[in-house]
């Protein structure tokens, strides 16, 4: 089970990882604190190339114009940089994906689940969660267990509130 429970107002745990896509091209280091001068959206997905985890970033892609310059958006999962590159290319995503193969980031944010909810399914997984981080590095909003088909609208509401 996850042991970290972050709430709105908490300092966002800093992290670094390899990001691919958008300005990171084929893969460059990403460090969260380098973006603390702007609003940040850090979106955790369970695994690329699955139905829900494909729908969610594609809905963000389709609503990209609505987001304007409201936030620096990136996705994160435990998939490899190579898997992220293929996923970005296949789905024409306009934002980067960050690889967390060692699960340090998902654990720091409390979204790595050591056991399945209800005792069924994959014993290890990432909870589908989005963190909106305010410019000073504090968590503004947390969207937990989001529906991948309505996530884009919930995120827009959070960004404009």
């Amino acid at each position: 089970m996850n042991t970290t429970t972050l709430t709105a107002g908490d300092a966002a745990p800093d992290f670094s990882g390899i990001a691919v896509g958008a300005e990171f091209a084929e893969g460059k280091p990403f460090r969260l604190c380098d973006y603390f001068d702007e609003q940040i959206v850090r979106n955790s997905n369970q695994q690329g190339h699955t139905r829900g985890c494909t729908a969610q970033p594609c809905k963000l892609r389709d609503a990209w114009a609505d987001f304007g310059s409201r936030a620096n958006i990136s996705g994160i999962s435990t998939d490899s940089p190579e898997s992220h590159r293929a996923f970005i290319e296949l789905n024409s995503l306009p934002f980067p994906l960050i690889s967390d193969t060692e699960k340090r980031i998902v654990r720091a944010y409390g979204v790595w689940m050591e056991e399945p909810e209800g005792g069924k399914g994959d014993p290890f997984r990432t909870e589908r969660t989005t963190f909106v981080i305010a410019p000073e590095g504090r968590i503004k909003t947390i969207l937990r267990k989001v529906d991948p088909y309505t996530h884009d609208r919930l995120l827009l509401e959070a960004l404009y509130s």
Side-chain angles (χ1 to χ4, degrees):
M1 195 110 208
N2 86 45
T3 57
T4 303
T5 303
L6 296 171
T7 59
D10 288 346
D14 192 16
F15 66 83
S16 59
I18 298 298
V20 298
E23 70 269 24
F24 297 94
E26 294 298 309
K28 294 179 186 169
F30 174 98
R31 184 162 178 144
L32 183 68
C33 67
D34 291 341
Y35 297 88
F36 279 172
D37 60 340
E38 58 189 301
Q39 190 165 226
I40 303 163
V41 172
R42 196 193 69 74
N43 179 48
S44 298
N45 271 318
Q46 295 171 341
Q47 183 178 16
H49 306 285
T50 60
R51 188 175 64 212
C53 293
T54 299
Q56 186 173 351
C58 287
K59 294 279 287 176
L60 290 176
R61 176 203 63 209
D62 295 346
W64 195 248
D66 296 338
F67 288 99
S69 59
R70 299 290 302 172
N72 181 303
I73 298 176
S74 60
I76 187 166
S77 81
T78 57
D79 291 338
S80 70
E82 295 78 18
S83 177
H84 282 327
R85 272 188 225 105
F87 187 75
I88 288 168
E89 185 174 313
L90 179 66
N91 295 290
S92 302
L93 299 181
F95 52 88
L97 300 176
I98 302 164
S99 178
D100 184 24
T101 58
E102 295 179 14
K103 300 166 188 70
R104 286 183 280 188
I105 303 165
V106 293
R107 284 188 171 113
Y109 277 78
V111 296
W112 180 249
M113 310 307 287
E114 297 290 346
E115 56 189 51
E117 214 173 296
K120 296 179 181 168
D122 189 356
F124 304 102
R125 62 183 171 77
T126 304
E127 179 184 86
R128 192 185 320 274
T129 306
T130 297
F131 293 86
V132 178
I133 302 167
E136 69 276 1
R138 296 233 165 248
I139 296 171
K140 175 182 173 185
T141 305
I142 302 173
L143 303 173
R144 294 193 184 278
K145 299 180 182 178
V146 296
D147 178 336
Y149 300 97
T150 60
H151 172 258
D152 59 323
R153 295 294 145 212
L154 293 173
L155 180 56
L156 277 171
E157 289 174 19
L159 291 173
Y160 284 93
S161 67

